[in-house]
Amino acid sequence: DGTTIYTDMPAGVGGESSAPTPGWFLRAGQACCEATLITMRAAELGIPLERVEVVVDSESDDRGILAMDDAVPAGPLSLETRIRISADGVGTQALLQLVEWANRHSPVSDALRRAVPVLVAVETAGGESS
């Protein structure tokens, strides 16, 4: 069995805003990966975390996705990750080092930071591939 994911686009670009957008899933994936690695590393170091909250926001220009200006990228122009973290008896510097380690080792954040080659294979209804 496969998984079905329903997405939609915001009303501002012609959607119905009835489900998360693909961009929402991208940001959620980054936030989840950061939180997971922070938690994993904290456990490895014996740091008893009380709170880990990760929020990822992006800035986009709809002219790119709507093909109104070819000079404007279709994807996000920037991403910002905000992390709230606390652990009883653990200093700020140790928490900062924990977050920096997690960010360096997050496969999702890594893929977003560098230009990862993306290959597109198309199979048509006739079974031909490109």
Side-chain angles (χ1 to χ4, degrees):
D1 263 344
T3 300
T4 302
I5 298 176
Y6 296 96
T7 67
D8 193 6
M9 296 304 288
V13 293
E16 296 179 6
S17 298
S18 63
T21 65
W24 183 91
F25 283 110
L26 174 79
R27 293 185 302 275
Q30 183 186 7
C32 183
C33 194
E34 292 281 338
T36 300
L37 282 170
I38 289 169
T39 304
M40 287 171 50
R41 182 67 171 170
E44 181 181 359
L45 297 174
I47 296 175
L49 293 175
E50 294 176 340
R51 177 183 189 172
V52 176
E53 179 182 324
V54 181
V55 176
V56 178
D57 282 323
S58 65
E59 183 179 328
S60 298
D61 186 332
D62 289 342
R63 295 176 301 160
I65 195 171
L66 296 174
M68 296 169 66
D69 184 343
D70 286 338
V72 177
L77 302 173
S78 65
L79 291 166
E80 179 184 23
T81 304
R82 292 186 308 278
I83 299 170
R84 291 184 182 168
I85 184 170
S86 61
D88 193 33
V90 179
T92 300
Q93 190 61 34
L95 293 175
L96 288 173
Q97 289 174 347
L98 175 63
V99 169
E100 289 169 5
W101 183 95
N103 183 260
R104 276 194 323 273
H105 293 88
S106 164
V108 175
S109 293
D110 176 63
L112 292 169
R113 272 192 299 270
R114 58 187 176 88
V116 176
V118 177
L119 304 175
V120 178
V122 178
E123 185 176 311
T124 64
E128 294 182 28
S129 297
S130 66

